[in-house]
Amino acid sequence: MSSRPGDEVVLSLRQVSRRYGRTEVLSRLTLNVSAGQIVGLVGPNGADKTTLLSIMGCELAPSAGDVAVLG
């Protein structure tokens, strides 16, 4: 998913990965969310949706990649 040209990007994840020991639970995730956009996370139990939300909320650091919230 990418933002539309001219829209203000309020959340940007670039090549975000998260590891626990040798286990990679998120692999090179890239996502841009524009102001006013609605995004849903869908997946089975154990798919690390909560890990992703914790990274987006700056509560958990990614093992690799960049996260920008409001610039």
Side-chain angles (χ1 to χ4, degrees):
M1 172 184 289
S2 62
S3 60
R4 295 179 301 228
D7 286 347
E8 176 190 8
V9 175
V10 295
L11 174 66
S12 177
L13 284 77
R14 283 180 277 144
Q15 299 293 309
V16 169
S17 296
R18 178 67 187 179
R19 299 181 76 75
Y20 293 105
R22 301 181 110 190
T23 304
E24 187 171 50
V25 295
L26 295 175
S27 179
R28 297 182 308 272
L29 176 68
T30 296
L31 173 71
N32 290 315
V33 179
S34 297
Q37 232 178 352
I38 298 172
V39 177
L41 294 176
V42 179
N45 289 346
D48 286 289
K49 298 177 296 290
T50 302
T51 299
L52 178 58
L53 288 172
S54 295
I55 290 172
M56 289 176 169
C58 302
E59 296 173 7
L60 183 65
S63 299
D66 297 308
V67 177
V69 179
L70 298 172

